[in-house]
Amino acid sequence: MNSQNIIKRSATSEITPAPHVRDHQMEVAKLIDVSTCIGCKACQVACNEWNDLRGEVEENVGVYDNPRDLAPETWTLMRFTEHEEEETGKLEWLIRKDGCMHCEDPGCLKACPIPGAIVQYANGIVDFQSDLCVGCGYCVAGCPFDVPRISQKDNKAYKCTLCSDRVAVGQTPACAKTCPTGAISFGSKEEMKTLAATRISDLNERGYENAGLYDPEGVGGTHVMYVLQHADDPKRYAGLPKDPKISGVVEGWKDVLKPAAAVAGAVAVGAMAAHFISVGPNVTEEGEESPDDAA
Amino acid sequence: MYSLGDGAKNAKPRIFHIEGDPDHPVSRGSLCPKGAGLLDMIHSKNRLLYPEYRAPGSKEWVRISWDEATKRIARLLKDDRDKNFISHNEKGQLVNRWLTSGMLASSAASNETGVLDFKFARGLGMLGLDCQARLCHAPTVAALAPSFGRGAMTNHWVDIKNANVVIVMGGNPAEAHPVGFKWVIEAKIKNKAKVIVVDPRFNRTAAVADIFSPIRAGSDTAFLMGMVRYLLETDQIQHDYVRSYTNATMIVREDFAFHDGVFSGFDAATKSYDKSSWTYETGPDGNALRDMTMTHPRSVLQLLKQHVDRYTPEMVETITGVKKADFLQIAEIIGSCSAKTKTLTWLYALGWTHHTGGAQIIRGSAMIQLLLGNIGMAGGGVNALRGHSNIQGYTDLGLLSLRVPGYMNLPSDNQQTLQQYLDETTPKDVIPGQVNYWKNTPKFFISMLKNLYGKHATKENGFDFDLLPKWDRSYDMLAYFDLMYQGKVNGYIAQGFNPLAAMPDKNKTSLSLSKLKFLVIIDPLVTETSNFWRNEGRYNDVKTEDIQTEVFRLPSNCFAEENGAIVNSGRWLQWHFAGQEPPGDARHDPAILGGIMTELRRLYAEEGGACPEQLLHMTWDEDTYHDPSFPHPEEMAKEANGYATQDIYDDSGKLLYKEGQLLNSFADLRDDGSTQSFCWVFTGSWTEAGNQMANRDNTDTGLGNTPGWAYAWPANRRILYNRASMDIDGNSWDPHRQILHWNGEKWVGADVPDFPATIPPGKEAAPFIMLPEGVGRLFSAKGMNDGPFPEHYEPVESPIAKNPLHAKVTHNPTARIFQNDAERMGNRTEFPYVATTYSVTELFRHWTKHSHLNAMLQPEQFIEIGEKLAAAKGIGHGDTVKVTTKRGYITAKAVVTKRMRTLNVAGQEVDQIGIPCHWGFEGATRKGFLANTLSPGVGDANSQTPEFKAFLVNIEKTDEVAA
Ligand code: SF4
Ligand code: SF4
């Protein structure tokens, strides 16, 4: 994808509008059908392989989730939750592929103080432009899904690119192509919604009354959507927020900190941002379990 | 595979990316985590790059040249063979065997390497030959061949999408076969199929199933016999099918009996059966008697009813821990598939094979599928899911101690002549009008001899029958390692095989290997076996200096570096092409075997020695291969198919083949030496029209069949026994599942008929053409060692005091157990918990732990334990635990889970512990124990595949550092 596909840039005023001479590009989406995901992690491997990422060989800490968390070298991972229905005792092993949701209204982009370090393309993909990234960590704080990670190696933020390089040449993202069960589909957002509807009606027939699509409005919808068996209770899926929003606080920080960024440069901003990172993205709802607590 | 370079001479190819092939009918471009991580396996830092040598007592490897390695290994082999070769047994029979050296052949290698493995081992007279099939699916062949005629998956991956019900027991395909599992999801989504999982653990398959029931490991036979009882009692069977296509109608001999856990003919001294009563009553014409009403008290159907009568839902619950209500819910769904228009597919893998009664469990599902009329049907079948990439091919090629290619047996001591062997192994007709295709055994066997011994094989010398080693007993891995343990084995070759990790009872395996004089490792990667002599602290606590075994380590290619065929679960021979050369000084397997064999032949030609003809007559010379020291895969692929050795004419005198032409079909094989074929089931795979295994037309001819893609044995048939999808008159049971129809002259349709194409509808010939009866066997006659009907016996290490069915016969009475293994068995007081071992999806056995991409996903040994037991033992998430059996201990991280439940069995609580089996002291993963330290050395009564799936352990929290 090239600059003419960019429709939004971080820290860029509305005065320079995005190019719009080209034909409108189709909005894309990835649909993850949690009800047919077997948690095999092939998508994780394909992501690492395609993007040349090699994380640490960590430890087993008593769960199947490995690596343990998203990281600069881990842009997607499976989160496993065991859920037992109280009345029936019916056990479910819910497996959710975590990673960037490619929000229509991306909190990371909004929070980023560096012009053009985060962009959104006309097809909806939110992409980090690493050459511009100063590693300040605002995107981390700005993301309602706790996705970006700053690398210790080069002090830059990393996350899923939705394989913008593959998509640009008409390929599906590596995870979608590799997924052996077809739990990951990729296409236009409209097609994905239609597909989701057929999956939801199948789940309804199988007794999942609350099956539904996760495409949260609070962030303007997402370009990565889930079919959930229990769309009424997304938190069950390793703490997926029920109603994610870009925190007003983020907007506030942004205004305060942006001039600082321009003046004091990346180092100072990075130090200040470290504070927000350690506090964490304060957009998860009260009492919500963090993904780390989920088995 | 994406590889650098465009094939130009100066551009050395190197693989840099791997993605699925979107044209492939099964994968459709997807990959499992192992496939997706192959790049790091191919380029693993643990690839072996040059030949190495470890001297007796030494602590290190030294690099040596290929020339030195080849010469020294050949010399060691020759000296041992010359010294210990047995030309005649005590009875004076000619046996031509060599027992003091053996070989493990790699079922991760291609068919073409397999051809050489066989010629290498048998050319030297070895009987201690096995491949990984011994440790995995050998019981499948032992069970399905006597049930249906062939011992392989009946249908194929894509066909699963046609099922209405998918039942998974003794397998975990979402975990072990994610790519094939897509067709289960397809059945769910497109066919509204119900998916049922019955397993000791709530596993990844259960995560997407509609119904799950836990079951006690080692009790599946009881569940299945309970199901048979339910189907018979509720009369939910496909009557027309059962009457026409099974042996339910046949009358069994009067002296057949079953009392108190044993069948007639048991000899307690030898722990074996005299099977003479396990057969049909015959009439004056010699044909088996039948009662088409199936009401005769000794008809198979009535005997079966009687046999399963004890397996009430209550008894099933007592033995298996499956709640009666759950059992009945599942039974109702299974019963609904007796309708002609509904099919059920049965998927299983090693969860069924790894038991002392493994083959009989599989029989249970075969019987249910026959009763439901689901064999030969699209969306039906008993589908054995294979593991190692080419385990199916290696099984087809006969790389097991007592087998030869194409599902025939190696002759025994008592079969001294070719004629006698053929008389005893070729089945006689028992019902008139049946195809009984095995009556062609002489054509298959003689064509094989002609392939093995070429110009030396003549009618006069019985086609060199004498040169095949003859057997007196089984030399399966358990037996052979026991001989090694006793110091009776001197040399061993392990090609692409890691027995220290893969065999049960690692500590015994280690002691056994220590008694070898020499060990030859042929492998692309560092294995624990190659370093068995190295002290790794607790993980491998050996005294290096005391181990006097010389070890050679020869680096070989991996799959991505060779041309060749591998056979998938659905019996498809699929050709693949090399993407790069082996790294460093590594060589292709055919070059390694070819090098050693060429040197051996040179030595025998020069020096003579024990029975030199055995290898000098073997077709491993310039007449056979362009370069005997490095035969090309294409040469072996063609010989596996077979040639005409002279001009061949049909009965009318028409020329069928010119001398040297490749054969089109095994139907053209002859028993006079005018044809040769290494493996008759592969005939048709490489014909004069070219390499059929490389075919890439993925057109769906109906119901997901793609006969233009690759080549399926036999004869490119995709759904075995597909004639059974129609009644005798040729009407499909289910018009929506029509595979074939009669066009007035022959059977045609979406698949190749698994039946003589020109036998018209309405004839007596029944669809199970490989069985002399022509019908599927509910009663397996003499086909099994431990009884014609399955019976539940407790695992050798059982958590309950006695078998609830018959207190005096608790265990499988025919299970073989060696004295020193018996001493290493634990009891339920000391070891109160049931353990079961398995694979997780992120890793493939002990291989992909060398891939960093996969190591990241499951970095270290863990075990799974239920919340209740964990609480009682004070074990929390991620704690380190020590798991102990009579044979040793391992430490591991604890995954405390709701997915393992306490079961109520025979009036007591039984807790089960899950032990994945992947890690060790080599690899990119964290160092740890080999989980097979725990498992017991006892095998399935029919195939000696070890009981990895049900044994007893104790578990405690420990302060020892994690595994
Ligand atoms: S999920 Fe987070 S990182 Fe991804 S686009 Fe939304 S806000 Fe940005
Ligand atoms: S590859 Fe597909 S099935 Fe496997 S974990 Fe990823 S989304 Fe789930």
Side-chain angles (χ1 to χ4, degrees):
Chain A
M1 251 160 284
N2 63 39
S3 60
Q4 293 183 351
N5 295 95
I6 293 171
I7 54 165
K8 272 186 211 158
R9 293 177 90 227
S10 52
T12 304
S13 81
E14 311 286 304
I15 307 164
T16 20
H20 54 267
V21 175
R22 305 178 91 190
D23 273 354
H24 175 69
Q25 226 186 330
M26 176 182 81
E27 281 191 34
V28 296
K30 177 160 83 180
L31 181 69
I32 302 170
D33 178 1
V34 173
S35 74
T36 54
C37 170
I38 52 176
C40 72
K41 306 184 190 169
C43 49
Q44 257 177 263
V45 182
C47 175
N48 288 344
E49 205 258 32
W50 176 259
N51 292 301
D52 292 330
L53 302 168
R54 299 293 186 277
E56 294 290 303
V57 173
E58 302 173 353
E59 280 181 44
N60 183 303
V61 294
V63 289
Y64 270 54
D65 315 29
N66 264 301
R68 198 56 204 103
D69 195 9
L70 294 174
E73 297 88 6
T74 301
W75 297 350
T76 184
L77 58 81
M78 313 311 299
R79 298 196 186 273
F80 297 78
T81 310
E82 294 176 357
H83 181 87
E84 200 169 354
E85 204 67 66
E86 260 169 44
E87 301 117 63
T88 58
K90 188 177 185 263
L91 182 64
E92 284 184 297
W93 200 10
L94 304 170
I95 306 162
R96 178 171 67 86
K97 178 182 184 298
D98 197 9
C100 175
M101 301 293 288
H102 294 273
C103 310
E104 180 60 27
D105 192 5
C108 57
L109 185 145
K110 278 214 162 131
C112 175
I114 304 297
I118 302 181
V119 299
Q120 185 174 45
Y121 303 120
N123 63 8
I125 295 179
V126 179
D127 217 358
F128 287 8
Q129 306 287 306
S130 303
D131 55 335
L132 300 175
C133 176
V134 297
C136 68
Y138 286 18
C139 55
V140 180
C143 171
F145 296 97
D146 185 24
V147 167
R149 295 289 185 274
I150 310 284
S151 171
Q152 303 284 330
K153 285 188 209 144
D154 63 0
N155 195 41
K156 288 183 188 292
Y158 290 95
K159 70 158 190 75
C160 156
T161 66
L162 205 65
C163 286
S164 55
D165 49 353
R166 294 174 62 103
V167 173
V169 295
Q171 298 279 308
T172 62
C175 60
K177 176 168 179 198
T178 213
C179 174
T181 68
I184 310 178
S185 308
F186 184 80
S188 77
K189 181 142 180 179
E190 280 317 304
E191 280 164 9
M192 292 302 104
K193 281 183 167 170
T194 315
L195 176 62
T198 66
R199 289 301 305 134
I200 290 161
S201 75
D202 175 61
L203 287 167
N204 291 152
E205 276 173 43
R206 284 176 201 266
Y208 295 98
E209 295 159 11
N210 298 314
L213 179 68
Y214 185 82
D215 179 22
E217 270 174 34
V219 292
T222 50
H223 293 273
V224 173
M225 305 183 290
Y226 294 110
V227 170
L228 302 177
Q229 301 99 322
H230 311 282
D232 55 326
D233 184 17
K235 277 187 289 178
R236 206 182 278 190
Y237 299 85
L240 183 63
K242 183 163 173 143
D243 192 13
K245 284 193 223 20
I246 309 171
S247 164
V249 185
V250 167
E251 307 264 3
W253 297 338
K254 189 175 124 182
D255 294 338
V256 177
L257 290 168
K258 260 185 192 160
V263 178
V267 181
V269 176
M272 290 175 81
H275 163 73
F276 299 111
I277 298 166
S278 61
V279 176
N282 56 356
V283 282
T284 41
E285 291 153 49
E286 262 319 286
E288 205 170 84
E289 40 173 2
S290 89
D292 283 10
D293 299 330
Chain B
M1 284 188 317
Y2 294 79
S3 192
L4 287 176
D6 56 0
K9 186 151 177 20
N10 298 338
K12 200 175 172 225
R14 181 180 157 89
I15 296 165
F16 63 90
H17 176 57
I18 290 184
E19 239 171 75
D21 175 356
D23 292 334
H24 196 284
V26 177
S27 82
R28 304 288 289 269
S30 68
L31 288 174
C32 74
K34 282 84 69 178
L38 280 171
L39 191 66
D40 280 15
M41 166 110 161
I42 294 167
H43 299 310
S44 170
K45 63 177 179 5
N46 296 330
R47 285 295 299 265
L48 300 173
L49 300 176
Y50 42 80
E52 289 161 292
Y53 174 72
R54 182 257 175 189
S58 165
K59 281 194 165 60
E60 58 192 26
W61 290 107
V62 260
R63 182 172 177 169
I64 56 173
S65 71
W66 275 106
D67 188 53
E68 186 184 355
T70 306
K71 290 211 165 100
R72 285 174 68 179
I73 292 166
R75 173 52 68 195
L76 284 165
L77 288 168
K78 180 164 192 294
D79 287 353
D80 187 56
R81 183 173 181 273
D82 287 348
K83 191 160 166 222
N84 297 303
F85 190 79
I86 304 172
S87 63
H88 293 81
N89 66 9
E90 321 77 69
K91 290 193 213 142
Q93 292 165 319
L94 185 66
V95 297
N96 282 336
R97 62 175 164 247
W98 175 28
L99 298 178
T100 52
S101 286
M103 174 168 179
L104 291 174
S106 171
S107 39
S110 63
N111 284 348
E112 294 66 35
T113 296
V115 171
L116 295 183
D117 285 336
F118 186 90
K119 286 186 169 185
F120 188 94
R122 302 307 194 198
L124 295 170
M126 285 179 181
L127 291 182
L129 167 71
D130 258 339
C131 71
Q132 281 91 348
R134 177 68 66 197
L135 302 184
C136 68
H137 265 293
T140 290
V141 181
L144 296 184
S147 302
F148 307 138
R150 302 187 188 94
M153 180 169 181
T154 57
N155 297 39
H156 59 91
W157 287 110
V158 181
D159 177 68
I160 295 169
K161 74 172 182 169
N162 297 314
N164 300 104
V165 175
V166 179
I167 174 148
V168 183
M169 248 181 111
N172 182 3
E175 188 108 36
H177 307 88
V179 171
F181 192 73
K182 90 161 33 62
W183 299 102
V184 175
I185 297 288
E186 183 87 356
K188 252 189 118 161
I189 292 178
K190 300 270 171 68
N191 215 20
K192 303 252 168 249
K194 278 222 158 61
V195 179
I196 301 171
V197 172
V198 181
D199 199 276
R201 293 181 308 135
F202 189 106
N203 53 31
R204 278 174 161 113
T205 309
V208 293
D210 296 282
I211 296 173
F212 168 78
S213 170
I215 186 172
R216 171 169 66 106
S219 68
D220 300 55
T221 300
F223 182 96
L224 297 169
M225 289 304 101
M227 196 59 66
V228 170
R229 181 183 183 278
Y230 172 90
L231 296 175
L232 293 173
E233 184 158 285
T234 58
D235 199 28
Q236 297 189 73
I237 63 175
Q238 216 269 56
H239 286 269
D240 296 338
Y241 188 106
V242 170
R243 191 178 309 108
S244 315
Y245 294 162
T246 76
N247 67 357
T249 56
M250 297 174 72
I251 313 292
V252 173
R253 258 169 63 156
E254 200 159 5
D255 51 351
F256 169 75
F258 175 80
H259 289 300
D260 274 347
V262 285
F263 294 90
S264 43
F266 187 63
D267 176 357
T270 59
K271 289 183 75 181
S272 66
Y273 283 103
D274 165 4
K275 303 182 195 174
S276 49
S277 65
W278 303 1
T279 186
Y280 313 115
E281 196 160 308
T282 47
D285 55 0
N287 290 326
L289 296 180
R290 280 188 285 183
D291 167 24
M292 296 315 274
T293 68
M294 305 184 279
T295 52
H296 187 290
R298 276 184 290 110
S299 67
V300 165
L301 191 78
Q302 297 306 322
L303 287 175
L304 177 60
K305 270 191 184 155
Q306 206 181 314
H307 182 78
V308 297
D309 192 47
R310 299 160 296 143
Y311 293 89
T312 59
E314 293 77 18
M315 182 56 89
V316 171
E317 178 165 342
T318 300
I319 297 174
T320 66
V322 175
K323 296 249 165 44
K324 183 177 168 183
D326 292 344
F327 174 78
L328 290 174
Q329 186 197 11
I330 295 168
E332 203 178 303
I333 297 170
I334 291 181
S336 73
C337 294
S338 60
K340 291 175 182 168
T341 54
K342 279 188 89 176
T343 56
L344 173 158
T345 181
W346 215 301
L347 310 182
Y348 78 92
L350 309 190
W352 271 0
T353 63
H354 285 165
H355 296 284
T356 38
Q360 291 287 11
I361 304 177
I362 300 162
R363 277 274 302 145
S365 71
M367 291 160 69
I368 292 172
Q369 289 293 60
L370 285 171
L371 290 171
L372 296 171
N374 271 334
I375 300 296
M377 296 289 286
V382 174
N383 292 310
L385 310 181
R386 293 301 190 124
H388 273 76
S389 56
N390 201 24
I391 198 82
Q392 182 65 51
Y394 267 56
T395 307
D396 303 336
L397 293 168
L399 287 156
L400 290 162
S401 119
L402 305 185
R403 293 268 186 187
V404 298
Y407 297 93
M408 295 183 288
N409 289 327
L410 198 66
S412 71
D413 285 6
N414 292 331
Q415 291 164 331
Q416 283 285 300
T417 67
L418 174 63
Q419 199 49 50
Q420 191 192 356
Y421 170 86
L422 293 174
D423 288 347
E424 287 177 21
T425 52
T426 309
K428 321 259 168 323
D429 291 345
V430 292
I431 296 183
Q434 300 304 322
V435 177
N436 187 15
Y437 205 74
W438 273 118
K439 73 173 164 230
N440 296 305
T441 302
K443 298 177 185 168
F444 310 149
F445 193 78
I446 289 169
S447 295
M448 180 200 72
L449 289 175
K450 190 69 191 160
N451 168 274
L452 293 179
Y453 304 112
K455 60 178 186 277
H456 302 286
T458 63
K459 214 174 210 156
E460 294 65 44
N461 69 9
F463 300 98
D464 261 350
F465 176 80
D466 287 348
L467 295 185
L468 278 181
K470 311 290 181 297
W471 56 269
D472 53 342
R473 51 167 287 191
S474 175
Y475 294 91
D476 56 88
M477 282 180 80
L478 281 173
Y480 204 66
F481 271 79
D482 193 64
L483 289 174
M484 209 184 281
Y485 185 73
Q486 296 172 40
K488 293 182 180 160
V489 178
N490 299 321
Y492 208 45
I493 301 173
Q495 173 207 31
F497 208 131
N498 190 357
L500 190 69
M503 283 283 286
D505 199 348
K506 178 246 171 184
N507 290 332
K508 179 178 170 184
T509 308
S510 176
L511 289 169
S512 306
L513 292 170
S514 307
K515 296 198 176 143
L516 288 172
K517 294 208 174 81
F518 62 97
L519 172 65
V520 180
I521 302 287
I522 303 174
D523 212 290
L525 289 156
V526 174
T527 61
E528 278 84 0
T529 304
S530 71
N531 284 332
F532 81 96
W533 44 270
R534 215 169 57 194
N535 188 299
E536 292 282 352
R538 298 175 299 136
Y539 306 138
N540 196 45
D541 197 7
V542 293
K543 270 220 173 101
T544 303
E545 54 282 12
D546 290 356
I547 297 177
Q548 293 301 310
T549 314
E550 291 185 77
V551 190
F552 295 85
R553 188 155 74 174
L554 309 179
S556 66
N557 68 281
C558 77
F559 76 98
E561 294 146 2
E562 66 181 7
N563 291 354
I566 55 171
V567 188
N568 81 350
S569 257
R571 299 165 282 98
W572 300 4
L573 288 79
Q574 311 189 81
W575 194 261
H576 62 278
F577 296 90
Q580 66 176 35
E581 285 292 304
D585 271 356
R587 286 190 178 173
H588 291 94
D589 288 71
I592 299 172
L593 294 167
I596 300 171
M597 186 42 102
T598 303
E599 175 64 7
L600 277 165
R601 288 169 66 100
R602 188 186 69 81
L603 291 174
Y604 273 96
E606 270 175 21
E607 302 171 0
C611 192
E613 316 81 67
Q614 199 170 33
L615 67 157
L616 293 178
H617 284 198
M618 186 62 81
T619 46
W620 202 317
D621 51 11
E622 279 80 12
D623 293 345
T624 318
Y625 303 124
H626 80 288
D627 174 3
S629 66
F630 185 7
H632 278 176
E634 291 74 12
E635 296 173 302
M636 281 79 84
K638 288 180 187 171
E639 68 174 313
N641 180 86
Y643 298 94
T645 61
Q646 60 193 57
D647 293 353
I648 298 181
Y649 301 88
D650 71 7
D651 294 343
S652 65
K654 194 176 120 218
L655 180 70
L656 289 177
Y657 295 97
K658 282 221 194 83
E659 181 184 337
Q661 279 191 326
L662 290 155
L663 303 172
N664 293 326
S665 159
F666 47 71
D668 296 335
L669 293 172
R670 307 254 168 129
D671 61 4
D672 58 2
S674 61
T675 59
Q676 63 102 323
S677 163
F678 179 79
C679 181
W680 72 274
V681 295
F682 289 174
T683 309
S685 61
W686 194 319
T687 66
E688 289 298 324
N691 182 354
Q692 304 302 305
M693 302 175 279
N695 288 348
R696 286 182 58 89
D697 176 356
N698 61 10
T699 308
D700 182 347
T701 54
L703 295 162
N705 288 297
T706 50
W709 185 275
Y711 184 84
W713 74 259
N716 208 21
R717 295 160 185 155
R718 307 285 159 143
I719 298 178
L720 293 181
Y721 322 111
N722 53 27
R723 173 68 180 85
S725 63
M726 301 167 287
D727 64 17
I728 277 285
D729 295 323
N731 308 307
S732 289
W733 300 114
D734 178 359
H736 296 295
R737 285 190 173 85
Q738 187 179 49
I739 303 171
L740 300 173
H741 65 273
W742 178 256
N743 72 359
E745 280 170 20
K746 57 182 184 188
W747 297 102
V748 292
D751 193 7
V752 178
D754 185 11
F755 197 68
T758 54
I759 295 187
K763 291 282 188 239
E764 282 156 325
F768 293 88
I769 58 171
M770 303 308 286
L771 291 174
E773 300 96 318
V775 293
R777 287 177 181 159
L778 295 167
F779 175 87
S780 63
K782 297 178 185 174
M784 312 279 289
N785 292 339
D786 46 356
F789 293 131
E791 175 68 2
H792 167 74
Y793 300 108
E794 286 295 315
V796 168
E797 289 188 340
S798 162
I800 58 177
K802 52 185 194 293
N803 190 330
L805 293 162
H806 23 71
K808 283 195 214 119
V809 185
T810 293
H811 308 291
N812 190 328
T814 59
R816 179 194 73 190
I817 176 159
F818 298 116
Q819 186 52 40
N820 62 69
D821 289 316
E823 288 157 11
R824 300 168 73 86
M825 296 295 166
N827 65 47
R828 65 196 193 99
T829 343
E830 228 183 317
F831 303 100
Y833 311 112
V834 173
T836 188
T837 65
Y838 46 88
S839 298
V840 292
T841 195
E842 294 90 338
L843 296 171
F844 173 68
R845 304 306 303 138
H846 299 89
W847 302 110
T848 59
K849 63 179 178 176
H850 293 286
S851 154
H852 185 98
L853 280 166
N854 294 98
M856 270 160 51
L857 304 184
Q858 282 297 2
E860 65 177 323
Q861 178 76 53
F862 68 91
I863 59 102
E864 298 190 82
I865 178 172
E867 287 179 342
K868 189 168 166 191
L869 179 61
K873 292 267 177 183
I875 296 168
H877 282 287
D879 283 351
T880 302
V881 293
K882 183 170 182 173
V883 185
T884 318
T885 68
K886 192 75 181 290
R887 298 160 287 278
Y889 79 96
I890 67 166
T891 58
K893 290 293 186 64
V895 168
V896 179
T897 171
K898 297 184 201 303
R899 296 176 295 99
M900 304 285 290
R901 298 247 163 118
T902 305
L903 296 177
N904 216 304
V905 175
Q908 74 181 65
E909 288 198 337
V910 171
D911 282 295
Q912 312 197 79
I913 287 164
I915 305 176
C917 188
H918 292 291
W919 300 268
F921 55 84
E922 302 293 350
T925 43
R926 298 177 88 86
K927 267 191 195 216
F929 286 89
L930 288 165
N932 271 324
T933 304
L934 302 173
S935 46
V938 61
D940 166 51
N942 286 283
S943 60
Q944 305 306 340
T945 294
E947 191 157 55
F948 292 115
K949 288 293 187 282
F951 55 91
L952 295 179
V953 299
N954 199 359
I955 185 166
E956 298 296 342
K957 193 170 160 174
T958 173
D959 294 332
E960 280 187 46
V961 274

